[in-house]
Amino acid sequence: MTDVLRRGRASLAFSFFAQGATFALLVTRIPAIQDRYGVSDALLPAFLAAVPILAGVGSVTTEHLVKRIPPSRLLRWSQPVVLLALLGVGAGDQLVELAVALGAFGLAVGALDASMNMLGVSLQRTYGRSIMLGFHAAYSLGGIVGASFAWAGAHWHLSLLVSYLPFVLVLLPAAFVGSRWYVDGSAPEGEEAAEAGPVVFKLLLPLCLVMTFAYIGDSTVSNWSAKYLQDVLGSSEQLATVPYNVYMVMTLVGRAVGDFGVRRFGAVAVVRLGAVVAALGFAVVAVAPGAWVGMLGFTLLGLGLCVIVPQTFAAAGRLFPGASDTAIARLNIFNYVGFLIGSPLVGALGDAWNYRGAMLVPMVLVLVTLGYARSFIPEPDRYGDGHERPRTADVGRGSNGL
C-alpha cells in the first residue's frame, strides 16, 4: 500500500509539473502566436478570453463526468489533449486553426485542472496530512522550466513548432505512462458517508470568493508586472521581464515548504499569513520609488499568494468530504473567473486613475481572505482530537484498473 501511494503521489506531481510547463509555454509566447497568425490587437483579447471561458465549461463538464468516470481516467486522457492542442497552436497558420487549437486547449485544461486537483485532495486525505502544496510546487517548477524554454525559443528565433515539438515529444509519453499509477481516493465511510450529499453553494461561496481574489492577484502579476516596472517605475526593458520570473520562483519556494507549515501551524494560520504577506507585497509595489523596491513587492506577492489556491482546494474537500469531486469542480471555475476579471480590472483602473492606485484593489481583495479564513478549518479539528488520521486508498479505483 505504501508503494502504491508513493507512486501515485509521484505520478500526480509529474502531471502538475507537465501542466505548469505546458501553460507557461503557451502564455509566454503570446506575442509570437499573434505574429504567426496575424491576430490584431483588437481581436487578441477575444482569443485570450475564450480559453478560460472554455476551461470553465470543461470544469463544469468534469463535475458530471466524474459521477461515472474516475478522475484518474479523465486526467489520463485530458493531459495528452492539452499537449497536442499546444502542438496544434505551433503547427497551424490560419486563424481558424488557431481557434480550434485554443478551443481544444481550453476545454481540456478545464477537465485537467479539475481532475488533477480532485486527485490531489483525495490523495491528501488518504495520507492524512498536508501534501497539496507540494503538488502545486511541482506546477510552479514546471512553469519556470516552460518559461525558460520559451525564452530560449524567442532568443534563438525558433518557430513555435520547433519550440513546442521537443517538449511535447518528451512530456506526452511520460505523462501517459505515469498515469498508470494515479490513485483515486477511497469512497467515504462512516461519518463522511453520512455527510455525503449535494454541494450547498452557500457553504462553498466563501472559498469561491477566496479563489477568485487569489487569481485576480495572480493575473495582475502575470499581465501587468512587466508594464508596471517599465512604465511606472522606470526600469529597462530587460529588467521588466524579471518580476514574473521572481514571482514564479517564490511561489515554488513557498509551496515547497508550505505543507510543513500547514502540518505545524494549521491551514488557517498559513492562509492568513499568506494573505497578509500578499497584501504587503501589493502595498510595496504601489508605493515603490524604483524598480528594485518594486521587485521586492513582487517577491512578497509570490510568497503570499502561492499558499492560498492549494489550500482552497483542500478546504473544499474537507468541507464536503462525501462530495469533494463535485465541490472541487465547481470551485475550479472561479480560478478562471479571477483570471478573466483580474487583467481588465487593473488595466481599466490604471487607464482611468493610475497604476499605483490600481494595485491597491487586488491588495484589498486579498485582505478580504482574512475574513474567510475559518473556512480553512483543518481536517483533524473535525474529529476533535487534534491528530491527523491516515486513510486507506481504494486501489481498485486506480486508473490502471488493478
Side-chain angles (χ1 to χ4, degrees):
M1 185 61 65
T2 301
D3 289 339
V4 169
L5 292 179
R6 187 180 297 114
R7 288 195 297 267
R9 184 177 179 181
S11 60
L12 184 59
F14 182 80
S15 180
F16 272 86
F17 170 86
Q19 175 55 10
T22 304
F23 190 75
L25 280 167
L26 177 70
V27 299
T28 55
R29 296 304 306 273
I30 286 175
I33 295 170
Q34 186 178 9
D35 292 341
R36 179 179 180 87
Y37 290 93
V39 180
S40 66
D41 289 340
L43 188 58
L44 182 62
F47 276 92
L48 298 180
V51 174
I53 290 173
L54 289 171
V57 174
S59 189
V60 171
T61 303
T62 301
E63 174 189 340
H64 299 286
L65 289 176
V66 293
K67 297 174 183 177
R68 302 176 180 84
I69 304 171
S72 59
R73 195 171 301 168
L74 291 175
L75 179 55
R76 165 182 272 190
W77 293 107
S78 60
Q79 191 145 50
V81 173
V82 170
L83 287 164
L84 291 173
L86 176 71
L87 195 60
V89 170
D93 56 13
Q94 302 293 323
L95 271 180
V96 65
E97 294 171 331
L98 177 63
V100 170
L102 288 180
F105 187 94
L107 288 170
V109 157
L112 187 151
D113 285 345
S115 57
M116 200 162 55
N117 282 289
M118 289 174 188
L119 288 180
V121 168
S122 65
L123 195 58
Q124 175 170 286
R125 290 178 62 77
T126 303
Y127 264 77
R129 57 188 173 90
S130 178
I131 60 173
M132 194 66 181
L133 280 155
F135 293 128
H136 284 261
Y139 182 95
S140 296
L141 178 61
I144 294 168
V145 172
S148 299
F149 272 81
W151 176 89
H155 179 74
W156 282 299
H157 306 289
L158 302 178
S159 70
L160 290 172
L161 182 59
V162 172
S163 296
Y164 291 163
L165 184 59
F167 227 85
V168 173
L169 289 177
V170 172
L171 289 182
L172 195 152
F176 191 74
V177 171
S179 69
R180 288 177 51 82
W181 293 288
Y182 293 153
V183 176
D184 288 289
S186 58
E189 300 176 357
E191 179 183 341
E192 292 179 1
E195 294 176 14
V199 173
V200 180
F201 185 71
K202 182 179 179 180
L203 298 178
L204 188 64
L205 181 59
L207 297 178
C208 294
L209 293 175
V210 169
M211 181 71 77
T212 301
F213 299 156
Y215 269 98
I216 287 175
D218 181 81
S219 65
T220 298
V221 177
S222 59
N223 288 287
W224 295 104
S225 59
K227 180 178 177 63
Y228 188 88
L229 224 72
Q230 189 171 355
D231 293 355
V232 178
L233 301 184
S235 77
S236 65
E237 183 178 356
Q238 290 78 12
L239 187 60
T241 65
V242 176
Y244 185 67
N245 287 332
V246 171
Y247 172 79
M248 287 301 297
V249 169
M250 298 317 295
T251 65
L252 172 61
V253 172
R255 288 169 173 174
V257 301
D259 281 321
F260 299 102
V262 173
R263 296 168 198 166
R264 178 66 178 85
F265 303 105
V268 175
V270 169
V271 170
R272 282 176 172 164
L273 179 62
V276 170
V277 172
L280 178 61
F282 275 119
V284 171
V285 169
V287 302
W292 290 105
V293 177
M295 203 86 70
L296 172 63
F298 288 113
T299 300
L300 293 173
L301 277 170
L303 280 174
L305 288 176
C306 71
V307 301
I308 297 176
V309 170
Q311 285 305 303
T312 305
F313 280 120
R318 291 192 294 267
L319 185 61
F320 298 98
S324 63
D325 288 350
T326 299
I328 290 166
R330 295 184 185 179
L331 178 63
N332 187 55
I333 298 170
F334 291 85
N335 157 355
Y336 312 119
V337 171
F339 189 86
L340 280 171
I341 293 175
S343 180
L345 174 66
V346 172
L349 290 171
D351 291 338
W353 184 19
N354 63 71
Y355 282 97
R356 288 186 183 273
M359 291 294 166
L360 298 177
V361 174
M363 180 194 78
V364 172
L365 293 177
V366 169
L367 281 175
V368 172
T369 299
L370 294 174
Y372 298 119
R374 292 304 299 171
S375 299
F376 293 82
I377 294 174
E379 186 171 8
D381 285 3
R382 296 176 60 250
Y383 298 92
D385 58 9
H387 293 90
E388 294 181 329
R389 300 188 176 206
R391 287 166 175 76
T392 301
D394 184 0
V395 185
R397 290 185 62 197
S399 63
N400 58 9
L402 296 178

